[in-house]
Amino acid sequence: GEVIETVLKCQAYSNHPEQMAMLRADLGADAAQYEDMIAEVEATYVPPEPPSIEEQVAVFDAALVAHLDATARERRYDNRVTCALRAGYPGPFQAEGIAFAAWMDQCNALAYSLLAEVVAGTRPMPDSPQALIDLMPAMVWPS
């Protein structure tokens, strides 16, 4: 008998405009006969609400905390708290604790100031959490 070669594609498409464009591309020349149905599905797409300022600030705050913790770990402290704690106790780690605590306060004050400007609408939100971290001063450990 005759051999008929068939290609089957199994793909789920959402009503997102990019997905509908993929469907049109996958249908190729046949897309025209389904255009009314595709347009009807596409018309049901509702873009998601962008995250609130509060949600965005929480993400940036978490990034700053992670940056402070990572910096403390450079000197083998568990986190920002254990490093800053050393500032209050005379001993071999006090100078590091004092320097770190002062730097951490600078970072927090600057971040809070920047994010307050964002909330007030006088400054755009940084492009990413890393962009906020890049605005922070460098930690200078005592020698």
Side-chain angles (χ1 to χ4, degrees), residues 24 84 128:
R24 287 182 178 96
S128 67

PDB file of all heavy atoms in Angstrom, residues 24 84 128:
ATOM      1  N   ARG A  24      -0.387  30.880  15.329  1.00  0.00           N
ATOM      2  CA  ARG A  24      -0.492  31.310  13.928  1.00  0.00           C
ATOM      3  C   ARG A  24       0.697  30.796  13.109  1.00  0.00           C
ATOM      4  O   ARG A  24       0.523  30.310  11.995  1.00  0.00           O
ATOM      5  CB  ARG A  24      -0.577  32.832  13.844  1.00  0.00           C
ATOM      6  CG  ARG A  24      -1.911  33.410  14.280  1.00  0.00           C
ATOM      7  CD  ARG A  24      -1.937  34.944  14.120  1.00  0.00           C
ATOM      8  NE  ARG A  24      -3.217  35.485  14.501  1.00  0.00           N
ATOM      9  CZ  ARG A  24      -3.484  35.988  15.714  1.00  0.00           C
ATOM     10  NH1 ARG A  24      -2.549  36.026  16.651  1.00  0.00           N
ATOM     11  NH2 ARG A  24      -4.686  36.458  15.973  1.00  0.00           N
ATOM     12  N   ALA A  84      28.077  42.051  62.852  1.00  0.00           N
ATOM     13  CA  ALA A  84      27.868  43.340  63.515  1.00  0.00           C
ATOM     14  C   ALA A  84      27.923  43.196  65.042  1.00  0.00           C
ATOM     15  O   ALA A  84      28.365  44.112  65.744  1.00  0.00           O
ATOM     16  CB  ALA A  84      26.530  43.935  63.089  1.00  0.00           C
ATOM     17  N   SER A 128      16.700  46.494  38.643  1.00  0.00           N
ATOM     18  CA  SER A 128      16.754  45.151  39.210  1.00  0.00           C
ATOM     19  C   SER A 128      17.261  45.249  40.640  1.00  0.00           C
ATOM     20  O   SER A 128      17.840  46.281  41.027  1.00  0.00           O
ATOM     21  CB  SER A 128      17.726  44.283  38.397  1.00  0.00           C
ATOM     22  OG  SER A 128      19.047  44.767  38.568  1.00  0.00           O
TER      23      SER A 128
END
